[in-house]
Amino acid sequence: MKRVSLLGATGSIGESAVDLIGRGGFQAVALTGGRNVARLAEQAVELGAELAVTCFPECYEELRQRLEGTGVDVAAGADAVAQAAAQPADLVLNGIVGAAGLQPSLAAVRAGATLALANKESLVCAGPLLMATAREAGAQVLPVDSEHSAVFQALVGEEMSAVERVVITASGGAFREWPLEKLARATPEQAATHPNWDMGQRITIDSASMFNKALEVIEAHEFFAIPPERIEVLIHPQSTVHALVGFCDGAMMAHLGAPDMRHAIGYALHWPERAELPVARLDLAALGRLDFAAPDPARYPALLLAQEVMAAGGLMGAVFNAAKEAALDGFIARSIGFTDMARIVEAVMGRMASQTGLNNDMMTLDNVLQADQMARELAREAMQKTSEATG
Ligand code: NAD
Ligand code: MG
């Protein structure tokens, strides 16, 4: 039986993973979550986990009470989440949202576990550090983002030297058809509606702005070590083709599947084998057509920012992600508008590029965390100014 830990078990990715693990063949080691301790406790009992951890110390007591007498150990706090990731396990699935997932990712690979990575922020903030740590520990990293899982699957048996380009698809999000001038007034509720995928609130809004795709381009660059100019984004409203790989002989291998994250999660959980999964089978005749279009940079400025991040390298990924997280908080709190998010991130990147205190030569965890903190502060300052200016 594979011993598996789930980080972010109570989230959208986490619940899909709990569903798959609950079908058998796995021993649950540690489960982590946030404020929804009622659900976390339920999952821990359901899966017979050894340990349940909430990242919030103030939630410890409630979690302890709910699990009293069940034999499940309980802990709380960010360090406890990282320790949970380091518990002896064959596979650790990281479904935490945001940069908070980085330290648990590092802890998991350091402990030698296979890391099934949904937390793309780990690679965006510290790709070189994470991949080097995994290499040193002899740990495998598996992508769980659907596009990256698709690329990973298309590459089975292939030489990287034969890869000419990687194409990842994007639905275009909630505002694909909206007139550009309306975007500035879009609300968080409107942005949090996805045409095809059912996901957490933050990634759904990031899909509308394409910050999610921007993160994914950087994620692909870091994970597959592909140069930026060989990574393309295509708008594909049906979300059926998840990615394509183009080879030096002109052939393209596409990965198709229903928009259900249990596919990519299940692939990683069972890797290197394929197992039967409870996902809908495609009916291409019923679907009838698959459409593709190039993304409009005026609608999706985040994609251009991703190019700047990759050109700069070093800590700019951490800066980009932290500024994006802060701007997204501001948008959700209605302090700034939808189109302000990209402006704020761009401004923060500009100011951080000229920061002399930023050690861009060596990527250590401390440097990454420092860049993250500085970028969040600058983003909050910039948002303050924006909301003052617009009253
Ligand atoms: P979510 O908001 O639904 O769930 C996030 C989980 O992380 C919850 O269990 C929450 O309690 C936990 N969490 C939140 N803040 C935390 C912190 N500071 N420390 C520790 N744990 C914390 O998010 P999601 O949509 O499941 O996304 C999770 C990750 O997977 C993100 O990186 C996202 O980009 C990626 N992803 C998600 C999907 C999807 O379908 N939802 C698809 C591809 C990739
Ligand atoms: Mg994705």
Side-chain angles (χ1 to χ4, degrees):
M1 277 226 270
K2 239 184 214 179
R3 288 171 52 84
V4 177
S5 288
L6 286 183
L7 315 178
T10 52
S12 161
I13 289 285
E15 286 288 6
S16 292
V18 167
D19 172 66
L20 293 177
I21 289 173
R23 291 165 195 259
F26 299 96
Q27 167 59 47
V29 180
L31 301 186
T32 81
R35 288 194 199 286
N36 190 356
V37 286
R39 180 61 189 141
L40 180 62
E42 215 169 72
Q43 292 176 328
V45 171
E46 239 172 68
L47 298 184
E50 296 165 13
L51 169 68
V53 180
T54 163
C55 63
F56 299 111
E58 64 272 24
C59 298
Y60 173 80
E61 190 47 34
E62 188 191 340
L63 184 62
R64 191 194 62 75
Q65 281 175 17
R66 286 184 182 272
L67 286 170
E68 202 159 14
T70 60
V72 182
D73 288 332
V74 172
D79 290 345
V81 172
Q83 279 160 20
Q87 291 299 305
D90 299 306
L91 184 135
V92 175
L93 180 110
N94 188 347
I96 292 172
V97 65
L102 172 59
Q103 280 160 284
S105 284
L106 289 168
V109 294
R110 251 186 239 121
T114 294
L115 174 65
L117 193 60
N119 180 263
K120 60 193 82 182
E121 295 89 344
S122 291
L123 282 168
V124 173
C125 296
L129 177 64
L130 178 63
M131 297 311 272
T133 308
R135 263 193 309 276
E136 276 159 30
Q140 174 80 37
V141 184
L142 298 172
V144 172
D145 217 344
S146 56
E147 298 78 2
H148 305 71
S149 173
V151 171
F152 189 81
Q153 293 178 49
L155 286 173
V156 170
E158 305 287 354
E159 292 293 333
M160 279 310 285
S161 56
V163 173
E164 214 166 58
R165 59 185 173 143
V166 160
V167 183
I168 61 176
T169 60
S171 69
F175 305 142
R176 184 169 49 90
E177 310 272 356
W178 276 39
L180 277 184
E181 59 281 5
K182 234 181 105 181
L183 286 183
R185 293 189 308 277
T187 66
E189 291 73 23
Q190 289 166 327
T193 323
H194 198 282
N196 306 326
W197 294 91
D198 177 15
M199 310 183 286
Q201 179 204 34
R202 297 182 73 85
I203 181 175
T204 306
I205 299 177
D206 282 350
S207 297
S209 62
M210 282 250 210
F211 265 112
N212 181 51
K213 213 47 59 177
L215 295 174
E216 289 183 357
V217 168
I218 304 167
E219 181 187 11
H221 170 61
E222 297 295 352
F223 185 85
F224 297 106
I226 307 172
E229 64 276 12
R230 290 175 185 257
I231 306 171
E232 295 168 26
V233 173
L234 266 186
I235 303 265
H236 170 47
Q238 290 90 357
S239 296
T240 299
V241 176
H242 300 139
L244 305 101
V245 178
F247 294 94
C248 56
D249 59 357
M252 291 190 92
M253 302 292 278
H255 179 288
L256 285 73
D260 183 336
M261 282 309 294
R262 289 179 305 175
H263 176 78
I265 296 168
Y267 183 81
L269 284 176
H270 292 279
W271 182 88
E273 279 153 27
R274 272 192 196 275
E276 200 176 318
L277 294 175
V279 300
R281 272 41 178 176
L282 282 181
D283 181 345
L284 289 175
L287 204 58
R289 55 187 276 184
L290 298 172
D291 298 301
F292 300 95
D296 170 7
R299 186 178 292 273
Y300 303 116
L303 293 178
L304 295 178
L305 296 177
Q307 295 301 321
E308 287 178 31
V309 170
M310 291 184 291
L315 297 171
M316 198 51 93
V319 168
F320 174 72
N321 178 69
K324 191 281 294 177
E325 287 189 27
L328 178 57
D329 290 337
F331 174 62
I332 292 172
R334 293 183 162 73
S335 318
I336 59 166
F338 181 75
T339 46
D340 291 328
M341 287 191 285
R343 272 198 288 277
I344 300 282
V345 174
E346 188 178 12
V348 172
M349 285 169 63
R351 288 194 54 190
M352 290 290 283
S354 56
Q355 272 287 347
T356 45
L358 200 66
N359 180 355
N360 212 14
D361 302 330
M362 239 196 3
M363 183 177 281
T364 62
L365 178 60
D366 282 349
N367 287 340
V368 171
L369 297 178
Q370 194 200 354
D372 176 288
Q373 279 311 315
M374 288 168 78
R376 278 174 211 266
E377 275 159 37
L378 288 175
R380 281 191 284 265
E381 258 174 47
M383 286 193 284
Q384 188 73 35
K385 281 190 199 133
T386 303
S387 58
E388 276 165 19
T390 53

